[in-house]
Coordinates of all heavy atoms in Angstrom, one line a residue:
N842 N 13.5 -22.3 11.6 CA 12.8 -23.6 11.7 C 11.6 -23.6 10.7 O 10.7 -24.4 10.8 CB 12.3 -23.7 13.1 CG 13.4 -24.0 14.1 OD1 14.4 -24.5 13.7 ND2 13.2 -23.6 15.3
N843 N 11.5 -22.6 9.9 CA 10.4 -22.5 8.9 C 10.6 -23.5 7.8 O 11.6 -23.9 7.4 CB 10.3 -21.1 8.4 CG 9.9 -20.1 9.4 OD1 9.4 -20.5 10.5 ND2 10.3 -18.9 9.2
I844 N 9.4 -24.0 7.3 CA 9.3 -24.9 6.2 C 8.9 -24.2 5.0 O 7.8 -23.6 5.0 CB 8.4 -26.1 6.6 CG1 8.9 -26.8 7.9 CG2 8.3 -27.1 5.4 CD1 7.9 -27.8 8.4
A845 N 9.6 -24.3 3.9 CA 9.3 -23.6 2.7 C 8.7 -24.7 1.7 O 9.4 -25.7 1.5 CB 10.4 -22.9 2.1
I846 N 7.6 -24.3 1.1 CA 7.0 -25.2 0.1 C 6.9 -24.3 -1.1 O 6.3 -23.2 -1.1 CB 5.6 -25.7 0.5 CG1 5.7 -26.5 1.8 CG2 5.0 -26.5 -0.6 CD1 4.4 -27.0 2.4
F847 N 7.4 -24.8 -2.3 CA 7.3 -24.1 -3.5 C 6.4 -24.8 -4.5 O 6.5 -26.1 -4.6 CB 8.7 -24.0 -4.2 CG 9.7 -23.2 -3.3 CD1 10.6 -24.0 -2.6 CD2 9.7 -21.9 -3.2 CE1 11.5 -23.3 -1.8 CE2 10.6 -21.2 -2.4 CZ 11.5 -21.9 -1.7
V848 N 5.5 -24.1 -5.1 CA 4.5 -24.7 -6.1 C 4.8 -24.0 -7.4 O 4.6 -22.8 -7.5 CB 3.1 -24.5 -5.6 CG1 2.1 -25.2 -6.6 CG2 2.8 -25.1 -4.2
S849 N 5.3 -24.7 -8.4 CA 5.6 -24.1 -9.7 C 4.4 -24.0 -10.5 O 3.3 -24.6 -10.3 CB 6.7 -25.0 -10.4 OG 6.1 -26.2 -10.8
K850 N 4.5 -23.3 -11.7 CA 3.3 -23.1 -12.5 C 2.9 -24.3 -13.2 O 1.8 -24.4 -13.7 CB 3.6 -21.9 -13.5 CG 4.8 -22.2 -14.5 CD 5.0 -21.0 -15.4 CE 6.3 -21.2 -16.2 NZ 6.6 -20.0 -17.0
T851 N 3.8 -25.3 -13.3 CA 3.5 -26.6 -13.9 C 2.8 -27.5 -12.9 O 2.4 -28.6 -13.2 CB 4.7 -27.3 -14.5 OG1 5.7 -27.5 -13.4 CG2 5.3 -26.4 -15.6
G852 N 2.8 -27.1 -11.6 CA 2.1 -28.0 -10.6 C 3.0 -28.8 -9.8 O 2.6 -29.6 -9.0
L853 N 4.3 -28.6 -9.9 CA 5.3 -29.4 -9.1 C 5.4 -28.8 -7.7 O 5.6 -27.6 -7.6 CB 6.7 -29.3 -9.8 CG 6.8 -30.0 -11.2 CD1 8.2 -29.9 -11.7 CD2 6.5 -31.5 -11.0
V854 N 5.4 -29.6 -6.7 CA 5.5 -29.2 -5.3 C 6.9 -29.6 -4.8 O 7.3 -30.8 -5.0 CB 4.4 -29.9 -4.5 CG1 4.5 -29.5 -3.0 CG2 3.0 -29.5 -5.0
T855 N 7.6 -28.6 -4.3 CA 8.9 -28.8 -3.8 C 9.0 -28.5 -2.3 O 8.6 -27.4 -1.9 CB 9.9 -28.0 -4.5 OG1 9.8 -28.2 -5.9 CG2 11.3 -28.3 -4.2
I856 N 9.5 -29.4 -1.5 CA 9.7 -29.2 0.0 C 11.1 -29.5 0.3 O 11.6 -30.6 0.0 CB 8.8 -30.1 0.8 CG1 7.3 -29.8 0.5 CG2 9.0 -29.8 2.3 CD1 6.3 -30.8 1.2
D857 N 11.8 -28.6 0.9 CA 13.3 -28.7 1.2 C 14.1 -29.2 0.0 O 14.9 -30.1 0.0 CB 13.5 -29.7 2.3 CG 13.2 -29.1 3.7 OD1 13.1 -27.9 3.8 OD2 13.1 -29.8 4.7
N858 N 13.9 -28.5 -1.1 CA 14.6 -28.8 -2.4 C 14.4 -30.2 -2.9 O 15.3 -30.7 -3.6 CB 16.1 -28.4 -2.2 CG 16.4 -27.0 -1.9 OD1 15.6 -26.1 -2.4 ND2 17.3 -26.7 -1.1
R859 N 13.3 -30.8 -2.5 CA 13.0 -32.1 -3.0 C 11.6 -32.1 -3.6 O 10.7 -31.5 -3.0 CB 12.9 -33.2 -1.9 CG 14.3 -33.5 -1.3 CD 14.2 -34.5 -0.2 NE 12.9 -34.5 0.4 CZ 12.3 -35.6 0.9 NH1 12.9 -36.8 0.8 NH2 11.1 -35.6 1.4
Q860 N 11.5 -32.6 -4.8 CA 10.1 -32.7 -5.4 C 9.3 -33.7 -4.7 O 9.8 -34.8 -4.5 CB 10.3 -33.0 -6.9 CG 9.0 -33.0 -7.7 CD 9.2 -33.2 -9.2 OE1 10.3 -33.1 -9.7 NE2 8.1 -33.6 -9.8
V861 N 8.1 -33.3 -4.4 CA 7.2 -34.2 -3.6 C 5.9 -34.3 -4.4 O 5.4 -33.3 -4.9 CB 7.0 -33.6 -2.2 CG1 6.0 -34.4 -1.4 CG2 8.3 -33.4 -1.5
D862 N 5.3 -35.5 -4.3 CA 4.0 -35.7 -4.9 C 3.0 -35.1 -4.0 O 3.1 -35.0 -2.8 CB 3.7 -37.2 -5.0 CG 2.4 -37.6 -5.6 OD1 2.0 -36.9 -6.6 OD2 1.7 -38.5 -5.1
I863 N 1.9 -34.6 -4.6 CA 0.9 -33.8 -3.8 C 0.3 -34.7 -2.7 O -0.1 -34.2 -1.6 CB -0.2 -33.3 -4.8 CG1 -1.1 -32.3 -4.1 CG2 -1.0 -34.4 -5.4 CD1 -0.5 -31.0 -3.8
E864 N 0.2 -36.0 -2.9 CA -0.3 -36.9 -1.9 C 0.6 -37.1 -0.7 O 0.2 -37.6 0.3 CB -0.7 -38.2 -2.5 CG -1.8 -38.1 -3.6 CD -3.1 -37.5 -3.1 OE1 -3.5 -37.8 -1.9 OE2 -3.7 -36.7 -3.8
R865 N 1.9 -36.8 -0.9 CA 2.9 -37.1 0.1 C 3.3 -35.8 0.9 O 4.2 -35.8 1.7 CB 4.2 -37.6 -0.5 CG 4.0 -38.9 -1.2 CD 3.6 -40.1 -0.4 NE 4.6 -40.3 0.6 CZ 4.4 -40.8 1.8 NH1 3.2 -41.3 2.2 NH2 5.4 -41.0 2.7
V866 N 2.6 -34.7 0.7 CA 2.9 -33.4 1.3 C 2.7 -33.6 2.9 O 3.5 -33.2 3.7 CB 2.0 -32.3 0.8 CG1 2.1 -31.0 1.6 CG2 2.4 -32.0 -0.7
T867 N 1.5 -34.2 3.3 CA 1.2 -34.3 4.7 C 2.3 -35.1 5.4 O 2.8 -34.7 6.5 CB -0.1 -35.0 4.9 OG1 -1.1 -34.2 4.2 CG2 -0.5 -35.1 6.3
A868 N 2.8 -36.2 4.8 CA 3.8 -37.1 5.5 C 5.1 -36.3 5.6 O 5.8 -36.4 6.6 CB 4.0 -38.4 4.6
N869 N 5.5 -35.6 4.6 CA 6.7 -34.8 4.6 C 6.7 -33.7 5.7 O 7.7 -33.5 6.4 CB 7.1 -34.2 3.2 CG 7.6 -35.3 2.3 OD1 8.8 -35.7 2.5 ND2 6.9 -35.8 1.4
I870 N 5.5 -33.0 5.8 CA 5.4 -32.0 6.7 C 5.4 -32.6 8.2 O 6.1 -32.0 9.1 CB 4.1 -31.2 6.5 CG1 4.2 -30.5 5.2 CG2 3.9 -30.2 7.6 CD1 5.3 -29.4 5.0
E871 N 4.8 -33.7 8.4 CA 4.8 -34.4 9.7 C 6.3 -34.7 10.1 O 6.6 -34.6 11.2 CB 3.9 -35.6 9.7 CG 2.4 -35.3 9.7 CD 1.6 -36.5 9.6 OE1 2.1 -37.5 9.2 OE2 0.3 -36.4 9.8
R872 N 7.0 -35.2 9.1 CA 8.4 -35.6 9.4 C 9.2 -34.3 9.8 O 10.0 -34.3 10.7 CB 9.0 -36.2 8.1 CG 10.5 -36.6 8.3 CD 11.1 -37.2 7.0 NE 11.0 -36.3 5.9 CZ 11.8 -35.3 5.6 NH1 12.8 -35.0 6.3 NH2 11.6 -34.6 4.5
L873 N 9.0 -33.2 9.1 CA 9.7 -32.0 9.4 C 9.3 -31.4 10.7 O 10.1 -30.8 11.4 CB 9.6 -31.0 8.2 CG 10.3 -31.4 6.9 CD1 9.9 -30.4 5.8 CD2 11.8 -31.4 7.1
L874 N 8.0 -31.6 11.0 CA 7.5 -31.1 12.3 C 8.1 -31.9 13.5 O 8.2 -31.3 14.6 CB 6.0 -31.1 12.3 CG 5.2 -30.0 11.6 CD1 3.8 -30.2 11.7 CD2 5.6 -28.7 12.3
A875 N 8.4 -33.1 13.2 CA 9.0 -33.9 14.3 C 10.4 -33.4 14.7 O 10.8 -33.4 15.8 CB 9.1 -35.4 13.9
E876 N 11.1 -32.8 13.7 CA 12.4 -32.3 13.9 C 12.3 -30.9 14.6 O 13.1 -30.6 15.4 CB 13.2 -32.1 12.6 CG 13.4 -33.5 12.0 CD 14.0 -33.3 10.5 OE1 14.2 -32.2 10.1 OE2 14.1 -34.3 9.9
S877 N 11.3 -30.1 14.2 CA 11.1 -28.8 14.8 C 9.6 -28.5 15.0 O 8.9 -28.1 14.0 CB 11.8 -27.7 14.0 OG 11.3 -27.7 12.6
P878 N 9.1 -28.8 16.1 CA 7.7 -28.7 16.3 C 7.1 -27.3 16.3 O 5.9 -27.2 16.0 CB 7.5 -29.2 17.8 CG 8.8 -29.7 18.2 CD 9.8 -29.3 17.3
E879 N 7.8 -26.3 16.5 CA 7.3 -24.9 16.4 C 7.4 -24.3 15.0 O 7.3 -23.1 14.9 CB 8.1 -24.0 17.4 CG 7.9 -24.4 18.9 CD 6.4 -24.3 19.3 OE1 5.8 -23.3 18.9 OE2 5.9 -25.2 20.0
A880 N 7.7 -25.1 14.0 CA 7.9 -24.5 12.7 C 6.6 -24.0 12.1 O 5.5 -24.4 12.3 CB 8.5 -25.6 11.8
A881 N 6.8 -22.9 11.3 CA 5.8 -22.4 10.5 C 6.0 -22.7 9.0 O 7.1 -23.0 8.6 CB 5.7 -20.8 10.6
V882 N 5.0 -22.7 8.2 CA 5.1 -23.1 6.8 C 4.8 -21.9 5.9 O 3.9 -21.1 6.2 CB 4.1 -24.2 6.5 CG1 4.0 -24.5 5.0 CG2 4.4 -25.5 7.3
L883 N 5.7 -21.7 5.0 CA 5.5 -20.7 4.0 C 5.3 -21.4 2.6 O 6.2 -22.1 2.2 CB 6.8 -19.8 3.9 CG 6.8 -18.8 2.7 CD1 5.7 -17.8 2.9 CD2 8.2 -18.1 2.7

Side-chain angles (χ1 to χ4, degrees):
N842 292 332
N843 296 335
I844 301 168
I846 301 174
F847 300 101
V848 183
S849 69
K850 62 182 172 184
T851 59
L853 296 176
V854 179
T855 307
I856 302 174
D857 280 349
N858 297 325
R859 293 182 333 150
Q860 185 177 342
V861 177
D862 184 38
I863 190 72
E864 298 301 323
R865 302 293 302 154
V866 170
T867 303
N869 282 287
I870 297 297
E871 287 174 345
R872 177 184 56 83
L873 292 171
L874 280 178
E876 297 171 5
S877 57
E879 295 297 320
V882 173
L883 172 64

